[in-house]
Amino acid sequence: MTYVRVHGRPDLFITFTCNPTWKDITDALFSGQKPHDRHGIIARVFHIKVKKLMALLTKGKLFVDVRAEIPDPEQDPLLYDIVKSNMIHGPCGSLNPNAPCMKENTCSKRYPRKLCRETQTGDDGYPEYKRRSTNNGGFTVRIKGLDLDNHWVVPYNPVLLRTFNCHINVEMCHSVKCIKYICKYVNKGSD
C-alpha cells in the first residue's frame, strides 16, 4: 500500500495491448514478413503509442465514462468493429471449455459477466458495469459462429478504442480490493 500512500488512490486501471496489425507496423514489413518477424518495429511503434496514450490521459481529460457494452452497429460501425475484434472475451466456459483462461472448469477472468441495468459495486468490491440484455436494448456480435452479447465485453473507453484500435481494458478502482489487485498486477512480472 506504499504506492497509495506516496502517489494517492488510483481512479482507473488501464491495460494497453499492442495490435500487430497497426498500419505503422505492417507498412514497415518487407514482402512476405509477418509482424512477429520484426520485434524491433513492434517495440518502437508500441513505445510511440504508449507515449501518445500517456499524453491523452494526462492532458486530454477523456474519462467521462467507461463502457462494457457492444455499441450500436448502425450508429457507430467503426467502434462496433473495434469492440468486436478487440474487446470480446472468449468465448469460454461451456461454449469453449478448452479456452486458455479456463482453470478448473471456470474462467479465471470471471466471464461471462452478469447483465446489469446500471453500473454498481458488486458484493466482492469490484465494479459491475452496465451490461444490458438484448431484450433491454443491448446488441450482439457474431464471432466464430456464435452470437455473443454483453456478457462477454471487456470494459473500455470509446475514445481510446477509436484512437488506438487495440485491446485497452479500462477498469474503475474504488475499493481496497481493486487497489490491492493493481499492486499485485504491477509487480507480477512478465508471463
Side-chain angles (χ1 to χ4, degrees):
M1 300 310 287
T2 303
Y3 291 116
V4 176
R5 191 174 339 120
V6 173
H7 300 288
R9 189 182 143 275
D11 296 315
L12 298 169
F13 178 44
I14 301 171
T15 53
F16 181 37
T17 307
C18 182
N19 182 349
T21 63
W22 278 327
K23 189 169 176 8
D24 299 338
I25 293 171
T26 57
D27 284 354
L29 299 176
F30 296 122
S31 179
Q33 282 187 323
K34 302 278 188 228
H36 64 267
D37 295 329
R38 303 288 300 275
H39 299 281
I41 291 171
I42 291 173
R44 281 180 287 201
V45 169
F46 187 64
H47 182 73
I48 291 166
K49 301 273 186 182
V50 168
K51 282 182 160 181
K52 184 176 179 182
L53 173 67
M54 292 306 295
L56 273 172
L57 294 176
T58 56
K59 298 173 186 152
K61 300 186 193 246
L62 36 113
F63 278 99
V64 176
D65 67 20
V66 173
R67 297 189 190 170
E69 292 193 305
I70 299 166
D72 184 337
E74 301 293 321
Q75 261 188 343
D76 198 340
L78 174 63
L79 185 60
Y80 178 85
D81 288 340
I82 294 170
V83 169
K84 179 180 177 179
S85 63
N86 294 296
M87 301 309 293
I88 302 294
H89 176 81
C92 59
S94 61
L95 298 175
N96 183 7
N98 296 322
C101 61
M102 295 295 287
K103 307 283 187 249
E104 299 177 16
N105 297 322
T106 305
C107 175
S108 62
K109 310 297 183 201
R110 303 180 303 136
Y111 281 89
R113 302 284 173 98
K114 73 178 196 176
L115 298 175
C116 192
R117 287 183 186 257
E118 296 296 326
T119 298
Q120 59 193 12
T121 302
D123 295 335
D124 61 358
Y126 289 103
E128 292 177 357
Y129 296 101
K130 177 181 176 182
R131 297 171 185 274
R132 293 176 294 169
S133 71
T134 53
N135 297 335
N136 194 23
F139 298 98
T140 62
V141 294
R142 188 158 188 81
I143 298 176
K144 298 180 184 176
L146 298 169
D147 288 323
L148 302 175
D149 62 7
N150 288 325
H151 283 99
W152 302 96
V153 180
V154 176
Y156 64 90
N157 175 278
V159 174
L160 291 179
L161 281 190
R162 282 190 202 95
T163 303
F164 294 102
N165 185 22
C166 67
H167 178 90
I168 303 179
N169 182 4
V170 178
E171 299 275 353
M172 296 185 303
C173 293
H174 62 284
S175 72
V176 172
K177 194 169 185 177
C178 292
I179 294 167
K180 284 182 177 180
Y181 176 77
I182 290 172
C183 294
K184 178 182 159 188
Y185 189 91
V186 167
N187 292 297
K188 76 175 183 147
S190 62
D191 293 340

